[in-house]
Amino acid sequence: MNFDTIIIGGGLTGLTAAIASAERGERTAIISAGQSALHFSSGTFELLGAVDGKPVTNPVEAMDRLPDTHPYRRIGRERMLSLLPLVQPLLSRAGIATTGNHYINRYRLTPLGKIKPAWLTLDDFATFDSPDRLPWRSVAIVNIADFQDFYPTFLARGLRDHGVECTISSTSIKELDNLRRSATEMRAANIARVLDYSAVCNLAGRIKSVGRGADAILMPAVLGLADDLMVSLLRRLVNKPLYFISTMPTSVPGVRAQMMLNRYFTNLGGTLMAGDTVTGARLDNGRVEAVFTNNHGPEPLTASRFIMATGSFFSHGLVATPSSVIEPVFGLDVDYPADRADWFSKNIGQAQPFMEFGVRTDDSWHPSIGGNTITNLQCVGSVTGGCNPIKQGCGAGVALLTALDVTTPRL
Amino acid sequence: MTTDTPLSNISPNNFEQCVKCTVCTVYCPVTAVNPLYPGPKQAGPDGERYRLKRGDFYNEALKYCLNCKRCEVSCPSGVRIGDIIQQARMKYSHGSAGLRDRMLAHTDLMGGIATRLSPTVNGILRLTPVKMAMDLTLGIDRHRTFPSYTPRKFTTWFRRHAAAHQERYTRRVTYFHGCYVNYNFPRLGKDFVKLFNACGIGVDLMPGEKCCGVARIANRLIKQATDAARTNLREIRTAVSRGNDVVATSSTCILTMRDEYPHLLGLDNADVRDNIMTATRYLYRLIESGQVRLVFKENGFPYHLAYHTPCHMAKLGWGVYSIELLKMIPGAMVTVLDNNCCGIAGTYGFKKENYKYSQAIGKTLFDSIARENPDFVVTDCETCKWQIEMSTPYRVVNPISILADAIDFEATRQANMQ
Ligand SMILES: Cc1cc2nc3c(=O)[nH]c(=O)nc-3n(C[C@H](O)[C@H](O)[C@H](O)COP(=O)(O)OP(=O)(O)OC[C@H]3O[C@@H](n4cnc5c(N)ncnc54)[C@H](O)[C@@H]3O)c2cc1C
Ligand code: SF4
Ligand code: SF4
């Protein structure tokens, strides 16, 4: 089967690259083994939260202080400034509405009541202009009875530290009784699947009554798995500011983002090969001619260009053996220290070096095998390394911008 | 450490690779509707750890698993969750299949009898008192409409009207028609023969074809399933040794023969696995490599087709071949429905204890079909067809039938003459 562009990996990086290619009319396919890191999303796409451990207010300015190896530095300031404005409209074309901008970080609430920098946040999550001043005097935190993956007490403690009065309550509706019979299945995604039109109408009534008197209502993100219809419905019915707080994974808003991007790509005519793993390739003369997958067996999947967005260790884009770190599909060259002792820090709270490992690429993201560049393959997103998404708060930014860098023609 | 330690302590079903991320539970159609079902993570890798210690940790609620494999398609760690659950059912479940399960499982024996009596059987299966009786005595839900049985089997038609012409083709394929085409819907088999003949491909049948065994596996009739599988593999090997690939119009038959035979029944098929495929994959590859050409009717096929990916097709990863073939048809508007389970899962939805879950599972799909409002729903699975036609007002057609309808038969035949 032949395509113009084949993308390996269907997480945020792969989907962004695929959408950009398909929108330009290229015949595009995504091959993706299993689901991606979007399923753990907090509801915020981060651009740059901290440099050298210090919080960042203005991401564009702070980028200059990042090490040379960081993907943003490699894209370069000018190019970054031309790509950044493309992100929010792309998400919005897929139906994902966000708040935020790249000039100045906004702030969001973590599930434990901490306040963190945010770039683009899903519209149904609260964001603030300032990390020290919250826009509410009082909030009502409303949990779903017996839902364990949400921590109202921690959240309330964090909010009270910022001078916000909190009430905590939990509520339920009969539609959830069935689910409640099994403690292990009382999960955010399963709740979201039960909350249909009539259930949401009932829920809205309950929330309204416990939220009376508060400036805003906060509840766990347990609504809207495939699209945001039920989210809008509940917010409209409650008729006062209502925001979601992320829960323990799996993240409902993350799954929703994944599904909406998948759907948009498919509607553009793109081919999504979900649940399939690229296992090998045929190379000739420094070019990938075809890739082979578990499902398609001997059938070669050919394209003129390939984009590799296979993620990091969690997604098996990189695999650590006791003595080496490898890229399992092509055996691409990977940057990591030779001595295993330098791979990690024993202090679990410190920055972990292994998070920065990645496939070695040239200025335009072409990888190499044994030092020989592959000219029609580019590696983008978290498989490339060079950054620490947790410490620097740059995971989604690296995914989105490296993907756009390889799919947006230079003027 | 300087040497690589071999990572050989991983089971074939990969259960040790589970990182407890819970992604699989998001995609399991059963968990959200049936509180008795522990979900893929608990029923699969989590439960397996206990079962390995003591078999009596086995939970009979595993019978609610549809074996749809959606959990496997979503797992980031490649854990074969569905296989783990089915293996556990085979190994630990107490009690043997009752009369109802045996009847439902023997799609070929039941079909053979019913075909001979078809006018009577069809009438009887539709009578309300009979449905009530089956509901009460057998536990087959009375809301179910049985697919009707045909008075003349596909194989009979083939022998009388098609077999003789097949000799003129040098390129040949072996068609695994399956129980559904043979006993319920020979029309699909006829469309297959028409389309493939037009493409210059002769059709052979396997003289000893048995039911692929999916229903026997689901109802834990493992010995019977293994016997049928052995026969089929023998027939497949004969076909392959003659240079034929073996194709089917049902994605479930293909998944069963390619993957369930080795994974669940322990029958090695590695020598012929690549030769077993869906009809649409076989055809697409010949068209793409320029060996076959389809010529469509002049006025095209001006309909809105909404493709539904059956669970087992999603697991095979081959929906793309059907979709790409449909997209070749001039005038057809092809949309791809969001990937959701229809809820029937073969014989599962026929059982009284499952009926309401089955319909609740299908609701998301039925709603999405209604939103698209297509002229036809297109899918490669016969049980999806029953379920969607029973639950919505839409007609459901196999892509092979759509193609057989859309081509200009004579022109296609001319284009593919050697
Ligand atoms: C638990 C967790 C939570 C996070 N939360 C946030 C957050 O809230 N905000 C934020 O900004 N960032 C977050 N991040 C950072 C995250 O890494 C990035 O935001 C981004 O989602 C990474 O996208 P990616 O597409 O590069 O990789 P991934 O999302 O990892 O996707 C890679 C995909 O490639 C597939 N794949 C791998 N190998 C193959 C193969 N051989 N063949 C076919 N497919 C293959 C995988 O199955 C997977 O689907 C989080 C990361 C993790 C691990
Ligand atoms: S998706 Fe896979 S790794 Fe995650 S919990 Fe399920 S089986 Fe385990
Ligand atoms: S096979 Fe289907 S029904 Fe069974 S656990 Fe997996 S997703 Fe659920």
Side-chain angles (χ1 to χ4, degrees), chain B residues 17-25 40-41 45-46 71 74-79 81:
Chain B
Q17 301 279 39
C18 172
V19 294
K20 313 296 168 206
C21 67
T22 74
V23 164
C24 49
T25 63
K41 174 170 170 283
D46 285 7
C71 47
S74 71
C75 173
S77 310
V79 180
I81 310 153

Side-chain angles (χ1 to χ4, degrees), chain A residues 52-378:
Chain A
D52 298 327
K54 291 188 206 69
V56 164
T57 311
N58 180 329
V60 173
E61 231 166 54
M63 276 170 204
D64 294 339
R65 298 198 300 276
L66 288 167
D68 294 345
T69 51
H70 196 284
Y72 295 161
R73 292 294 304 277
R74 298 180 54 199
I75 295 174
R77 186 190 174 87
E78 211 171 305
R79 176 81 171 157
M80 282 289 285
L81 283 171
S82 72
L83 297 176
L84 279 163
L86 304 180
V87 173
Q88 209 168 10
L90 182 145
L91 294 173
S92 143
R93 289 196 295 281
I96 303 170
T98 55
T99 306
N101 67 80
H102 52 270
Y103 297 108
I104 187 147
N105 271 331
R106 295 186 62 76
Y107 295 87
R108 69 172 174 103
L109 267 173
T110 73
L112 300 183
K114 298 262 177 303
I115 294 192
K116 280 188 111 181
W119 171 33
L120 299 178
T121 302
L122 299 181
D123 266 356
D124 40 321
F125 284 70
T127 56
F128 327 109
D129 302 330
S130 139
D132 334 291
R133 248 191 348 270
L134 301 193
W136 314 304
R137 258 179 309 112
S138 65
V139 300
I141 303 174
V142 186
N143 193 12
I144 304 285
D146 297 325
F147 178 55
Q148 310 278 339
D149 292 342
F150 181 65
Y151 308 107
T153 357
F154 287 105
L155 182 61
R157 193 180 305 157
L159 287 167
R160 287 185 187 122
D161 287 347
H162 286 86
V164 180
E165 279 170 39
C166 298
T167 60
I168 299 179
S169 58
S170 64
T171 186
S172 193
I173 48 172
K174 65 177 187 319
E175 286 86 345
L176 289 169
D177 288 350
N178 239 346
L179 209 53
R180 189 167 290 113
R181 286 160 61 185
S182 158
T184 58
E185 302 314 310
M186 191 72 191
R187 297 200 179 270
N190 282 337
I191 297 174
R193 291 200 283 178
V194 175
L195 294 180
D196 61 5
Y197 183 84
S198 66
V200 168
C201 293
N202 285 343
L203 185 64
R206 298 294 164 83
I207 292 179
K208 261 178 110 146
S209 67
V210 290
R212 207 163 282 141
D215 293 341
I217 294 164
L218 302 179
M219 68 174 285
V222 293
L223 225 66
L225 198 60
D227 54 46
D228 57 9
L229 288 177
M230 292 304 129
V231 172
S232 319
L233 177 68
L234 181 68
R235 296 184 85 197
R236 177 161 316 170
L237 290 173
V238 168
N239 197 21
K240 85 157 47 179
L242 180 148
Y243 300 104
F244 294 99
I245 301 290
S246 52
T247 65
M248 287 289 276
T250 314
S251 152
V252 167
V255 175
R256 187 198 313 152
Q258 175 94 47
M259 289 199 189
M260 292 177 90
L261 291 166
N262 285 353
R263 195 177 301 135
Y264 180 54
F265 173 66
T266 312
N267 288 344
L268 286 168
T271 297
L272 183 59
M273 302 183 186
D276 199 3
T277 306
V278 176
T279 48
R282 186 168 67 221
L283 279 91
D284 185 45
N285 222 347
R287 286 176 63 82
V288 182
E289 289 199 324
V291 292
F292 297 93
T293 72
N294 269 342
N295 288 344
H296 294 281
E299 168 81 1
L301 301 172
T302 55
S304 42
R305 85 188 284 215
F306 293 82
I307 295 173
M308 170 115 175
T310 49
S312 185
F313 296 99
F314 171 80
S315 294
H316 309 280
L318 297 175
V319 174
T321 77
S323 61
S324 60
V325 177
I326 57 171
E327 181 288 299
V329 176
F330 296 90
L332 301 173
D333 299 335
V334 178
D335 278 326
Y336 66 94
D339 187 351
R340 197 170 202 273
D342 299 332
W343 292 7
F344 51 89
S345 156
K346 291 220 167 85
N347 179 343
I348 184 165
Q350 264 173 14
Q352 292 293 339
F354 69 82
M355 302 232 16
E356 303 197 20
F357 299 175
V359 166
R360 182 182 308 154
T361 51
D362 71 7
D363 288 347
S364 7
W365 310 103
H366 298 108
S368 54
I369 300 177
N372 299 314
T373 304
I374 320 284
T375 52
N376 67 339
L377 175 67
Q378 286 164 300

Side-chain angles (χ1 to χ4, degrees), chain B residues 7 16 28 41 44 50 53 96 98 129 138 142 166 188 230 275 336-337 340 349 364 403:
Chain B
L7 296 171
E16 298 87 347
C28 174
K41 174 170 170 283
Y50 293 106
K53 282 197 190 126
S96 57
L138 290 174
R142 66 171 174 275
Q166 304 307 316
L188 173 56
R230 285 219 169 87
N275 302 94
V336 181
L337 294 165
N340 284 299
T364 318
L403 289 165

Side-chain angles (χ1 to χ4, degrees), chain B residues 8 100 123 141 156 168 217 221 286 293 343 349:
Chain B
S8 57
R100 188 258 336 248
D141 196 278
T156 313
R168 53 170 106 107
I217 296 173
L221 298 169
L286 289 177
R293 201 155 72 83

